[in-house]
Amino acid sequence: MEFEIEEILSLVKKKMREQGGYSRDAYKQYVVETIDYFLEKGKLTDDDNLEFIEDRLMDMWGTVGREQ
């Protein structure tokens, strides 16, 4: 699961740079969008603990926000 979180985080950071959204609300939106994208592509399933993944990514906001 750690690999998926890192892969999602990488795509979220890319979206932040491309779309210029650097607020916590924008970050949350990108996290949700990216999780949905991974579900559509079959990289995640409903059997994965999606709430845990989203919570882990949101916990990383402090670090990500400082990087941007």
Side-chain angles (χ1 to χ4, degrees):
M1 176 159 327
E2 195 63 35
F3 174 75
E4 287 89 353
I5 291 173
E6 290 300 321
E7 195 173 355
I8 293 169
L9 183 60
S10 176
L11 188 52
V12 167
K13 288 178 180 180
K14 181 178 179 185
K15 286 183 177 198
M16 289 175 78
R17 286 189 302 274
E18 289 176 352
Q19 297 180 23
Y22 297 106
S23 69
R24 189 175 198 290
D25 288 338
Y27 176 75
K28 180 169 178 67
Q29 179 184 342
Y30 299 145
V31 166
V32 170
E33 287 174 3
T34 306
I35 289 172
D36 288 345
Y37 173 76
F38 274 54
L39 283 166
E40 289 173 15
K41 295 297 179 185
K43 292 184 176 189
L44 291 173
T45 68
D46 290 331
D47 292 335
D48 291 307
N49 189 341
L50 302 177
E51 185 177 335
F52 172 78
I53 293 170
E54 184 177 336
D55 289 346
R56 280 286 310 280
L57 289 162
M58 290 309 299
D59 287 345
M60 295 177 183
W61 163 246
T63 305
V64 172
R66 285 190 298 273
E67 290 176 2
Q68 304 304 318

Short mmCIF file of all heavy atoms in Angstrom, two decimals:
data_model
loop_
_atom_site.label_atom_id
_atom_site.label_comp_id
_atom_site.label_asym_id
_atom_site.label_seq_id
_atom_site.Cartn_x
_atom_site.Cartn_y
_atom_site.Cartn_z
N MET A 1 0.82 -1.19 0.00
CA MET A 1 0.00 0.00 0.00
C MET A 1 0.86 1.26 0.00
O MET A 1 0.46 2.27 -0.54
CB MET A 1 -0.94 -0.02 1.20
CG MET A 1 -1.74 1.25 1.28
SD MET A 1 -3.27 1.28 2.20
CE MET A 1 -3.98 -0.29 2.04
N GLU A 2 2.03 1.17 0.59
CA GLU A 2 2.92 2.35 0.65
C GLU A 2 3.28 2.82 -0.76
O GLU A 2 3.36 4.03 -1.01
CB GLU A 2 4.17 2.02 1.45
CG GLU A 2 4.96 3.24 1.86
CD GLU A 2 4.19 4.16 2.80
OE1 GLU A 2 3.41 3.68 3.63
OE2 GLU A 2 4.37 5.38 2.67
N PHE A 3 3.48 1.87 -1.68
CA PHE A 3 3.80 2.23 -3.06
C PHE A 3 2.67 3.05 -3.67
O PHE A 3 2.92 4.06 -4.33
CB PHE A 3 4.08 0.98 -3.90
CG PHE A 3 4.27 1.30 -5.35
CD1 PHE A 3 5.45 1.88 -5.79
CD2 PHE A 3 3.27 1.03 -6.27
CE1 PHE A 3 5.64 2.20 -7.14
CE2 PHE A 3 3.45 1.34 -7.62
CZ PHE A 3 4.64 1.92 -8.04
N GLU A 4 1.43 2.62 -3.45
CA GLU A 4 0.29 3.34 -4.01
C GLU A 4 0.21 4.75 -3.44
O GLU A 4 -0.06 5.70 -4.18
CB GLU A 4 -1.03 2.60 -3.73
CG GLU A 4 -1.23 1.35 -4.54
CD GLU A 4 -0.65 0.11 -3.87
OE1 GLU A 4 0.02 0.22 -2.82
OE2 GLU A 4 -0.87 -0.98 -4.40
N ILE A 5 0.47 4.89 -2.16
CA ILE A 5 0.41 6.21 -1.54
C ILE A 5 1.47 7.12 -2.16
O ILE A 5 1.19 8.28 -2.49
CB ILE A 5 0.56 6.11 -0.01
CG1 ILE A 5 -0.70 5.46 0.57
CG2 ILE A 5 0.81 7.48 0.62
CD1 ILE A 5 -0.63 5.15 2.04
N GLU A 6 2.68 6.61 -2.35
CA GLU A 6 3.74 7.42 -2.95
C GLU A 6 3.41 7.77 -4.40
O GLU A 6 3.66 8.88 -4.86
CB GLU A 6 5.08 6.67 -2.88
CG GLU A 6 5.64 6.57 -1.49
CD GLU A 6 5.90 7.92 -0.85
OE1 GLU A 6 6.37 8.85 -1.55
OE2 GLU A 6 5.63 8.05 0.35
N GLU A 7 2.82 6.82 -5.12
CA GLU A 7 2.44 7.07 -6.51
C GLU A 7 1.33 8.12 -6.60
O GLU A 7 1.37 9.03 -7.44
CB GLU A 7 1.97 5.75 -7.15
CG GLU A 7 1.91 5.80 -8.65
CD GLU A 7 1.61 4.45 -9.27
OE1 GLU A 7 1.53 3.43 -8.56
OE2 GLU A 7 1.44 4.44 -10.50
N ILE A 8 0.35 8.03 -5.71
CA ILE A 8 -0.73 9.03 -5.67
C ILE A 8 -0.15 10.39 -5.31
O ILE A 8 -0.47 11.39 -5.94
CB ILE A 8 -1.82 8.60 -4.66
CG1 ILE A 8 -2.54 7.35 -5.17
CG2 ILE A 8 -2.81 9.74 -4.43
CD1 ILE A 8 -3.44 6.70 -4.14
N LEU A 9 0.70 10.43 -4.30
CA LEU A 9 1.30 11.69 -3.86
C LEU A 9 2.08 12.35 -5.00
O LEU A 9 2.00 13.56 -5.20
CB LEU A 9 2.20 11.46 -2.66
CG LEU A 9 2.84 12.71 -2.05
CD1 LEU A 9 1.78 13.70 -1.58
CD2 LEU A 9 3.77 12.33 -0.92
N SER A 10 2.80 11.56 -5.76
CA SER A 10 3.56 12.09 -6.89
C SER A 10 2.64 12.76 -7.90
O SER A 10 2.92 13.86 -8.39
CB SER A 10 4.36 10.95 -7.53
OG SER A 10 5.03 11.41 -8.67
N LEU A 11 1.53 12.10 -8.21
CA LEU A 11 0.58 12.67 -9.16
C LEU A 11 -0.11 13.91 -8.59
O LEU A 11 -0.34 14.89 -9.31
CB LEU A 11 -0.46 11.62 -9.58
CG LEU A 11 -1.40 11.99 -10.71
CD1 LEU A 11 -0.65 12.49 -11.95
CD2 LEU A 11 -2.27 10.80 -11.07
N VAL A 12 -0.41 13.89 -7.31
CA VAL A 12 -1.02 15.06 -6.66
C VAL A 12 -0.07 16.27 -6.74
O VAL A 12 -0.49 17.37 -7.09
CB VAL A 12 -1.38 14.76 -5.18
CG1 VAL A 12 -1.70 16.03 -4.42
CG2 VAL A 12 -2.56 13.78 -5.12
N LYS A 13 1.21 16.06 -6.46
CA LYS A 13 2.18 17.14 -6.55
C LYS A 13 2.27 17.68 -7.98
O LYS A 13 2.39 18.89 -8.19
CB LYS A 13 3.56 16.67 -6.09
CG LYS A 13 3.65 16.45 -4.60
CD LYS A 13 5.04 15.94 -4.25
CE LYS A 13 5.23 15.69 -2.79
NZ LYS A 13 6.59 15.20 -2.49
N LYS A 14 2.21 16.79 -8.95
CA LYS A 14 2.25 17.21 -10.35
C LYS A 14 1.03 18.08 -10.68
O LYS A 14 1.17 19.12 -11.32
CB LYS A 14 2.28 15.98 -11.26
CG LYS A 14 2.35 16.29 -12.72
CD LYS A 14 2.42 15.04 -13.56
CE LYS A 14 2.45 15.42 -15.03
NZ LYS A 14 2.41 14.25 -15.90
N LYS A 15 -0.15 17.66 -10.20
CA LYS A 15 -1.36 18.46 -10.43
C LYS A 15 -1.23 19.83 -9.78
O LYS A 15 -1.66 20.83 -10.34
CB LYS A 15 -2.59 17.74 -9.87
CG LYS A 15 -3.05 16.58 -10.68
CD LYS A 15 -4.31 15.99 -10.07
CE LYS A 15 -4.83 14.87 -10.92
NZ LYS A 15 -6.23 14.55 -10.63
N MET A 16 -0.66 19.87 -8.58
CA MET A 16 -0.49 21.15 -7.88
C MET A 16 0.36 22.09 -8.72
O MET A 16 0.02 23.27 -8.88
CB MET A 16 0.16 20.93 -6.52
CG MET A 16 -0.73 20.27 -5.50
SD MET A 16 0.11 19.90 -3.96
CE MET A 16 0.14 21.53 -3.20
N ARG A 17 1.47 21.58 -9.25
CA ARG A 17 2.35 22.43 -10.07
C ARG A 17 1.67 22.86 -11.36
O ARG A 17 1.74 24.03 -11.74
CB ARG A 17 3.64 21.67 -10.39
CG ARG A 17 4.60 21.55 -9.23
CD ARG A 17 5.94 20.99 -9.67
NE ARG A 17 5.82 19.68 -10.29
CZ ARG A 17 5.80 18.51 -9.65
NH1 ARG A 17 5.88 18.49 -8.34
NH2 ARG A 17 5.71 17.38 -10.29
N GLU A 18 1.01 21.93 -12.03
CA GLU A 18 0.39 22.23 -13.32
C GLU A 18 -0.80 23.17 -13.19
O GLU A 18 -1.01 24.04 -14.04
CB GLU A 18 -0.05 20.94 -14.01
CG GLU A 18 1.10 20.10 -14.51
CD GLU A 18 0.65 18.78 -15.11
OE1 GLU A 18 -0.55 18.43 -15.02
OE2 GLU A 18 1.51 18.08 -15.67
N GLN A 19 -1.61 22.99 -12.13
CA GLN A 19 -2.83 23.76 -12.00
C GLN A 19 -2.68 24.95 -11.05
O GLN A 19 -3.58 25.77 -10.94
CB GLN A 19 -3.97 22.85 -11.55
CG GLN A 19 -4.26 21.78 -12.59
CD GLN A 19 -5.38 20.84 -12.18
OE1 GLN A 19 -6.23 21.18 -11.36
NE2 GLN A 19 -5.40 19.66 -12.77
N GLY A 20 -1.55 25.03 -10.36
CA GLY A 20 -1.27 26.17 -9.51
C GLY A 20 -2.10 26.23 -8.25
O GLY A 20 -2.27 27.30 -7.67
N GLY A 21 -2.61 25.09 -7.80
CA GLY A 21 -3.40 25.05 -6.57
C GLY A 21 -2.54 24.62 -5.41
O GLY A 21 -2.14 23.47 -5.34
N TYR A 22 -2.24 25.55 -4.51
CA TYR A 22 -1.31 25.25 -3.42
C TYR A 22 -1.94 25.36 -2.04
O TYR A 22 -1.26 25.24 -1.04
CB TYR A 22 -0.09 26.18 -3.50
CG TYR A 22 0.69 25.98 -4.77
CD1 TYR A 22 0.65 26.90 -5.79
CD2 TYR A 22 1.46 24.83 -4.95
CE1 TYR A 22 1.36 26.70 -6.97
CE2 TYR A 22 2.18 24.63 -6.12
CZ TYR A 22 2.12 25.56 -7.12
OH TYR A 22 2.83 25.36 -8.28
N SER A 23 -3.26 25.55 -1.98
CA SER A 23 -3.92 25.62 -0.68
C SER A 23 -4.23 24.21 -0.18
O SER A 23 -4.18 23.24 -0.93
CB SER A 23 -5.22 26.42 -0.79
OG SER A 23 -6.18 25.68 -1.55
N ARG A 24 -4.57 24.12 1.09
CA ARG A 24 -4.93 22.82 1.66
C ARG A 24 -6.19 22.28 0.98
O ARG A 24 -6.30 21.09 0.73
CB ARG A 24 -5.15 22.95 3.17
CG ARG A 24 -5.32 21.60 3.86
CD ARG A 24 -5.42 21.78 5.38
NE ARG A 24 -5.18 20.58 6.12
CZ ARG A 24 -5.97 19.52 6.17
NH1 ARG A 24 -7.07 19.50 5.45
NH2 ARG A 24 -5.67 18.47 6.90
N ASP A 25 -7.14 23.16 0.67
CA ASP A 25 -8.37 22.72 0.01
C ASP A 25 -8.08 22.18 -1.39
O ASP A 25 -8.65 21.17 -1.80
CB ASP A 25 -9.37 23.87 -0.08
CG ASP A 25 -9.99 24.23 1.26
OD1 ASP A 25 -9.98 23.37 2.18
OD2 ASP A 25 -10.47 25.36 1.41
N ALA A 26 -7.21 22.85 -2.12
CA ALA A 26 -6.83 22.38 -3.45
C ALA A 26 -6.12 21.03 -3.34
O ALA A 26 -6.40 20.12 -4.13
CB ALA A 26 -5.94 23.40 -4.16
N TYR A 27 -5.24 20.91 -2.36
CA TYR A 27 -4.52 19.64 -2.15
C TYR A 27 -5.52 18.51 -1.89
O TYR A 27 -5.42 17.45 -2.49
CB TYR A 27 -3.56 19.80 -0.97
CG TYR A 27 -2.82 18.54 -0.58
CD1 TYR A 27 -1.77 18.06 -1.35
CD2 TYR A 27 -3.19 17.83 0.56
CE1 TYR A 27 -1.09 16.90 -0.99
CE2 TYR A 27 -2.51 16.68 0.93
CZ TYR A 27 -1.47 16.22 0.14
OH TYR A 27 -0.80 15.08 0.51
N LYS A 28 -6.51 18.76 -1.03
CA LYS A 28 -7.52 17.73 -0.73
C LYS A 28 -8.28 17.35 -2.00
O LYS A 28 -8.53 16.18 -2.26
CB LYS A 28 -8.48 18.20 0.34
CG LYS A 28 -9.54 17.14 0.67
CD LYS A 28 -10.32 17.48 1.89
CE LYS A 28 -11.41 16.48 2.20
NZ LYS A 28 -10.97 15.18 2.58
N GLN A 29 -8.63 18.34 -2.80
CA GLN A 29 -9.35 18.07 -4.05
C GLN A 29 -8.49 17.20 -4.96
O GLN A 29 -8.99 16.24 -5.57
CB GLN A 29 -9.70 19.38 -4.76
CG GLN A 29 -10.41 19.18 -6.08
CD GLN A 29 -10.67 20.48 -6.80
OE1 GLN A 29 -10.63 21.56 -6.21
NE2 GLN A 29 -10.93 20.39 -8.09
N TYR A 30 -7.21 17.50 -5.09
CA TYR A 30 -6.32 16.70 -5.94
C TYR A 30 -6.17 15.29 -5.40
O TYR A 30 -6.10 14.33 -6.17
CB TYR A 30 -4.94 17.36 -6.05
CG TYR A 30 -4.96 18.73 -6.68
CD1 TYR A 30 -4.09 19.72 -6.25
CD2 TYR A 30 -5.85 19.06 -7.69
CE1 TYR A 30 -4.09 20.99 -6.81
CE2 TYR A 30 -5.86 20.33 -8.26
CZ TYR A 30 -4.98 21.28 -7.82
OH TYR A 30 -4.99 22.53 -8.37
N VAL A 31 -6.13 15.14 -4.08
CA VAL A 31 -6.04 13.81 -3.47
C VAL A 31 -7.26 12.98 -3.84
O VAL A 31 -7.15 11.84 -4.30
CB VAL A 31 -5.87 13.91 -1.93
CG1 VAL A 31 -6.12 12.57 -1.26
CG2 VAL A 31 -4.48 14.44 -1.58
N VAL A 32 -8.45 13.56 -3.67
CA VAL A 32 -9.70 12.86 -3.97
C VAL A 32 -9.76 12.51 -5.46
O VAL A 32 -10.10 11.38 -5.83
CB VAL A 32 -10.92 13.69 -3.52
CG1 VAL A 32 -12.22 13.09 -4.03
CG2 VAL A 32 -10.94 13.81 -2.01
N GLU A 33 -9.43 13.47 -6.32
CA GLU A 33 -9.44 13.24 -7.77
C GLU A 33 -8.48 12.11 -8.15
O GLU A 33 -8.80 11.28 -8.99
CB GLU A 33 -9.04 14.50 -8.52
CG GLU A 33 -10.06 15.59 -8.54
CD GLU A 33 -9.55 16.86 -9.19
OE1 GLU A 33 -8.39 16.88 -9.70
OE2 GLU A 33 -10.30 17.86 -9.21
N THR A 34 -7.32 12.11 -7.54
CA THR A 34 -6.31 11.13 -7.89
C THR A 34 -6.70 9.74 -7.39
O THR A 34 -6.49 8.74 -8.10
CB THR A 34 -4.93 11.55 -7.37
OG1 THR A 34 -4.65 12.88 -7.84
CG2 THR A 34 -3.83 10.62 -7.84
N ILE A 35 -7.27 9.65 -6.21
CA ILE A 35 -7.76 8.36 -5.73
C ILE A 35 -8.85 7.85 -6.67
O ILE A 35 -8.85 6.66 -7.04
CB ILE A 35 -8.26 8.47 -4.28
CG1 ILE A 35 -7.08 8.67 -3.33
CG2 ILE A 35 -9.08 7.24 -3.88
CD1 ILE A 35 -7.46 8.98 -1.89
N ASP A 36 -9.76 8.71 -7.08
CA ASP A 36 -10.81 8.32 -8.03
C ASP A 36 -10.20 7.83 -9.34
O ASP A 36 -10.66 6.84 -9.93
CB ASP A 36 -11.77 9.47 -8.31
CG ASP A 36 -12.68 9.78 -7.13
OD1 ASP A 36 -12.79 8.93 -6.20
OD2 ASP A 36 -13.28 10.87 -7.12
N TYR A 37 -9.17 8.53 -9.81
CA TYR A 37 -8.48 8.14 -11.05
C TYR A 37 -7.87 6.75 -10.90
O TYR A 37 -7.99 5.90 -11.78
CB TYR A 37 -7.41 9.18 -11.37
CG TYR A 37 -6.52 8.80 -12.52
CD1 TYR A 37 -6.97 8.89 -13.84
CD2 TYR A 37 -5.22 8.35 -12.30
CE1 TYR A 37 -6.14 8.54 -14.91
CE2 TYR A 37 -4.39 8.00 -13.36
CZ TYR A 37 -4.86 8.10 -14.65
OH TYR A 37 -4.05 7.75 -15.70
N PHE A 38 -7.23 6.49 -9.76
CA PHE A 38 -6.62 5.18 -9.52
C PHE A 38 -7.68 4.09 -9.44
O PHE A 38 -7.44 2.96 -9.85
CB PHE A 38 -5.76 5.21 -8.25
CG PHE A 38 -4.36 5.69 -8.48
CD1 PHE A 38 -4.09 6.90 -9.11
CD2 PHE A 38 -3.27 4.93 -8.07
CE1 PHE A 38 -2.81 7.35 -9.32
CE2 PHE A 38 -1.97 5.37 -8.28
CZ PHE A 38 -1.74 6.57 -8.91
N LEU A 39 -8.85 4.42 -8.91
CA LEU A 39 -9.96 3.47 -8.89
C LEU A 39 -10.42 3.15 -10.31
O LEU A 39 -10.62 1.98 -10.66
CB LEU A 39 -11.13 4.02 -8.08
CG LEU A 39 -10.99 3.97 -6.57
CD1 LEU A 39 -12.06 4.85 -5.91
CD2 LEU A 39 -11.12 2.54 -6.07
N GLU A 40 -10.56 4.18 -11.14
CA GLU A 40 -10.99 4.00 -12.53
C GLU A 40 -10.00 3.14 -13.30
O GLU A 40 -10.40 2.32 -14.14
CB GLU A 40 -11.13 5.34 -13.23
CG GLU A 40 -12.30 6.16 -12.77
CD GLU A 40 -12.31 7.56 -13.37
OE1 GLU A 40 -11.58 7.81 -14.36
OE2 GLU A 40 -13.04 8.42 -12.85
N LYS A 41 -8.71 3.32 -13.04
CA LYS A 41 -7.68 2.59 -13.77
C LYS A 41 -7.42 1.20 -13.20
O LYS A 41 -6.64 0.44 -13.75
CB LYS A 41 -6.36 3.39 -13.78
CG LYS A 41 -6.45 4.69 -14.53
CD LYS A 41 -6.76 4.44 -15.98
CE LYS A 41 -6.87 5.73 -16.76
NZ LYS A 41 -7.28 5.50 -18.13
N GLY A 42 -8.06 0.88 -12.08
CA GLY A 42 -7.89 -0.44 -11.48
C GLY A 42 -6.66 -0.59 -10.62
O GLY A 42 -6.33 -1.70 -10.19
N LYS A 43 -5.96 0.52 -10.35
CA LYS A 43 -4.78 0.47 -9.48
C LYS A 43 -5.19 0.37 -8.02
O LYS A 43 -4.41 -0.06 -7.18
CB LYS A 43 -3.89 1.68 -9.70
CG LYS A 43 -3.21 1.69 -11.06
CD LYS A 43 -2.26 2.86 -11.17
CE LYS A 43 -1.52 2.82 -12.50
NZ LYS A 43 -0.44 3.80 -12.54
N LEU A 44 -6.41 0.83 -7.72
CA LEU A 44 -7.02 0.68 -6.40
C LEU A 44 -8.39 0.05 -6.61
O LEU A 44 -8.99 0.19 -7.68
CB LEU A 44 -7.20 2.03 -5.71
CG LEU A 44 -5.97 2.79 -5.26
CD1 LEU A 44 -6.35 4.18 -4.75
CD2 LEU A 44 -5.22 2.04 -4.18
N THR A 45 -8.89 -0.63 -5.59
CA THR A 45 -10.23 -1.19 -5.63
C THR A 45 -10.98 -0.76 -4.37
O THR A 45 -10.38 -0.23 -3.43
CB THR A 45 -10.19 -2.73 -5.69
OG1 THR A 45 -9.69 -3.23 -4.45
CG2 THR A 45 -9.33 -3.23 -6.84
N ASP A 46 -12.26 -1.04 -4.36
CA ASP A 46 -13.06 -0.72 -3.18
C ASP A 46 -12.62 -1.55 -1.98
O ASP A 46 -12.96 -1.21 -0.85
CB ASP A 46 -14.54 -0.94 -3.47
CG ASP A 46 -15.10 0.10 -4.44
OD1 ASP A 46 -14.58 1.23 -4.45
OD2 ASP A 46 -16.05 -0.22 -5.18
N ASP A 47 -11.88 -2.63 -2.22
CA ASP A 47 -11.37 -3.46 -1.13
C ASP A 47 -10.19 -2.80 -0.42
O ASP A 47 -9.86 -3.17 0.70
CB ASP A 47 -10.95 -4.84 -1.64
CG ASP A 47 -12.15 -5.66 -2.10
OD1 ASP A 47 -13.27 -5.40 -1.62
OD2 ASP A 47 -11.96 -6.55 -2.94
N ASP A 48 -9.54 -1.85 -1.10
CA ASP A 48 -8.45 -1.12 -0.45
C ASP A 48 -9.06 -0.17 0.59
O ASP A 48 -10.19 0.28 0.43
CB ASP A 48 -7.65 -0.31 -1.49
CG ASP A 48 -6.85 -1.19 -2.42
OD1 ASP A 48 -6.09 -2.02 -1.92
OD2 ASP A 48 -7.02 -1.04 -3.66
N ASN A 49 -8.29 0.13 1.59
CA ASN A 49 -8.78 1.03 2.64
C ASN A 49 -8.61 2.47 2.16
O ASN A 49 -7.63 3.15 2.47
CB ASN A 49 -8.01 0.78 3.95
CG ASN A 49 -8.61 1.51 5.11
OD1 ASN A 49 -9.37 2.46 4.94
ND2 ASN A 49 -8.27 1.07 6.30
N LEU A 50 -9.58 2.93 1.38
CA LEU A 50 -9.49 4.24 0.74
C LEU A 50 -9.48 5.38 1.76
O LEU A 50 -8.79 6.38 1.56
CB LEU A 50 -10.63 4.41 -0.26
CG LEU A 50 -10.70 3.36 -1.37
CD1 LEU A 50 -11.91 3.59 -2.25
CD2 LEU A 50 -9.42 3.35 -2.20
N GLU A 51 -10.21 5.21 2.83
CA GLU A 51 -10.23 6.24 3.87
C GLU A 51 -8.85 6.38 4.51
O GLU A 51 -8.36 7.49 4.74
CB GLU A 51 -11.26 5.90 4.94
CG GLU A 51 -11.43 6.98 5.97
CD GLU A 51 -12.52 6.65 6.99
OE1 GLU A 51 -13.44 5.88 6.66
OE2 GLU A 51 -12.43 7.20 8.10
N PHE A 52 -8.19 5.25 4.76
CA PHE A 52 -6.84 5.27 5.32
C PHE A 52 -5.87 5.96 4.36
O PHE A 52 -5.05 6.78 4.77
CB PHE A 52 -6.37 3.83 5.60
CG PHE A 52 -4.92 3.75 6.00
CD1 PHE A 52 -4.53 4.06 7.29
CD2 PHE A 52 -3.95 3.36 5.09
CE1 PHE A 52 -3.19 3.98 7.67
CE2 PHE A 52 -2.61 3.27 5.46
CZ PHE A 52 -2.24 3.59 6.75
N ILE A 53 -5.97 5.63 3.07
CA ILE A 53 -5.09 6.23 2.07
C ILE A 53 -5.29 7.75 2.03
O ILE A 53 -4.32 8.51 2.05
CB ILE A 53 -5.34 5.60 0.67
CG1 ILE A 53 -4.90 4.13 0.68
CG2 ILE A 53 -4.63 6.39 -0.42
CD1 ILE A 53 -5.30 3.35 -0.56
N GLU A 54 -6.55 8.18 1.99
CA GLU A 54 -6.83 9.62 1.97
C GLU A 54 -6.31 10.29 3.24
O GLU A 54 -5.71 11.36 3.18
CB GLU A 54 -8.32 9.87 1.80
CG GLU A 54 -8.66 11.34 1.68
CD GLU A 54 -10.12 11.62 1.43
OE1 GLU A 54 -10.84 10.74 0.91
OE2 GLU A 54 -10.55 12.74 1.76
N ASP A 55 -6.54 9.66 4.39
CA ASP A 55 -6.06 10.23 5.65
C ASP A 55 -4.54 10.34 5.68
O ASP A 55 -3.99 11.35 6.13
CB ASP A 55 -6.54 9.39 6.85
CG ASP A 55 -8.03 9.53 7.11
OD1 ASP A 55 -8.65 10.46 6.56
OD2 ASP A 55 -8.56 8.69 7.86
N ARG A 56 -3.86 9.32 5.20
CA ARG A 56 -2.38 9.36 5.16
C ARG A 56 -1.90 10.50 4.28
O ARG A 56 -0.97 11.23 4.64
CB ARG A 56 -1.80 8.05 4.59
CG ARG A 56 -1.70 6.89 5.52
CD ARG A 56 -0.60 6.97 6.56
NE ARG A 56 0.72 7.28 6.10
CZ ARG A 56 1.59 6.44 5.55
NH1 ARG A 56 1.27 5.19 5.35
NH2 ARG A 56 2.79 6.84 5.19
N LEU A 57 -2.53 10.65 3.12
CA LEU A 57 -2.14 11.72 2.21
C LEU A 57 -2.43 13.09 2.81
O LEU A 57 -1.63 14.02 2.67
CB LEU A 57 -2.83 11.54 0.86
CG LEU A 57 -2.31 10.36 0.05
CD1 LEU A 57 -3.30 9.98 -1.04
CD2 LEU A 57 -0.95 10.66 -0.55
N MET A 58 -3.55 13.23 3.49
CA MET A 58 -3.88 14.51 4.11
C MET A 58 -2.92 14.80 5.26
O MET A 58 -2.58 15.96 5.50
CB MET A 58 -5.33 14.53 4.59
CG MET A 58 -6.35 14.58 3.45
SD MET A 58 -6.07 15.87 2.21
CE MET A 58 -6.20 17.35 3.21
N ASP A 59 -2.45 13.78 5.96
CA ASP A 59 -1.47 13.97 7.01
C ASP A 59 -0.14 14.49 6.47
O ASP A 59 0.64 15.10 7.20
CB ASP A 59 -1.21 12.66 7.77
CG ASP A 59 -2.37 12.26 8.67
OD1 ASP A 59 -3.24 13.12 8.94
OD2 ASP A 59 -2.40 11.09 9.09
N MET A 60 0.10 14.27 5.18
CA MET A 60 1.34 14.72 4.55
C MET A 60 1.26 16.17 4.09
O MET A 60 2.25 16.71 3.58
CB MET A 60 1.67 13.82 3.35
CG MET A 60 1.97 12.41 3.72
SD MET A 60 2.24 11.44 2.21
CE MET A 60 2.48 9.82 2.91
N TRP A 61 0.11 16.81 4.24
CA TRP A 61 -0.07 18.18 3.74
C TRP A 61 0.99 19.13 4.26
O TRP A 61 1.52 19.96 3.51
CB TRP A 61 -1.46 18.70 4.08
CG TRP A 61 -1.53 20.20 3.93
CD1 TRP A 61 -1.73 21.10 4.93
CD2 TRP A 61 -1.33 20.97 2.76
NE1 TRP A 61 -1.69 22.37 4.43
CE2 TRP A 61 -1.44 22.33 3.09
CE3 TRP A 61 -1.07 20.65 1.42
CZ2 TRP A 61 -1.30 23.35 2.18
CZ3 TRP A 61 -0.93 21.69 0.51
CH2 TRP A 61 -1.05 23.01 0.88
N GLY A 62 1.33 19.06 5.53
CA GLY A 62 2.31 19.99 6.09
C GLY A 62 3.62 19.94 5.34
O GLY A 62 4.19 20.99 4.97
N THR A 63 4.10 18.77 5.05
CA THR A 63 5.35 18.60 4.30
C THR A 63 5.19 19.04 2.86
O THR A 63 6.03 19.77 2.34
CB THR A 63 5.80 17.12 4.36
OG1 THR A 63 5.91 16.72 5.73
CG2 THR A 63 7.13 16.93 3.65
N VAL A 64 4.12 18.62 2.24
CA VAL A 64 3.90 18.96 0.83
C VAL A 64 3.72 20.47 0.67
O VAL A 64 4.27 21.06 -0.25
CB VAL A 64 2.65 18.20 0.28
CG1 VAL A 64 2.29 18.67 -1.11
CG2 VAL A 64 2.90 16.70 0.30
N GLY A 65 2.97 21.06 1.57
CA GLY A 65 2.74 22.51 1.49
C GLY A 65 4.01 23.31 1.59
O GLY A 65 4.18 24.33 0.92
N ARG A 66 4.95 22.85 2.42
CA ARG A 66 6.25 23.54 2.55
C ARG A 66 7.13 23.35 1.32
O ARG A 66 7.94 24.20 1.01
CB ARG A 66 6.97 23.06 3.79
CG ARG A 66 6.39 23.61 5.08
CD ARG A 66 7.27 23.32 6.27
NE ARG A 66 7.44 21.89 6.54
CZ ARG A 66 6.63 21.14 7.28
NH1 ARG A 66 5.56 21.69 7.84
NH2 ARG A 66 6.86 19.86 7.47
N GLU A 67 6.98 22.21 0.64
CA GLU A 67 7.79 21.93 -0.55
C GLU A 67 7.42 22.82 -1.72
O GLU A 67 8.25 23.12 -2.55
CB GLU A 67 7.62 20.46 -0.99
CG GLU A 67 8.23 19.46 -0.05
CD GLU A 67 7.93 18.02 -0.49
OE1 GLU A 67 7.27 17.84 -1.54
OE2 GLU A 67 8.36 17.11 0.21
N GLN A 68 6.16 23.18 -1.80
CA GLN A 68 5.68 23.91 -2.96
C GLN A 68 6.03 25.32 -2.86
O GLN A 68 6.18 26.24 -2.71
CB GLN A 68 4.18 23.72 -3.14
CG GLN A 68 3.78 22.28 -3.25
CD GLN A 68 4.47 21.48 -4.33
OE1 GLN A 68 4.66 21.94 -5.45
NE2 GLN A 68 4.87 20.28 -4.04
#
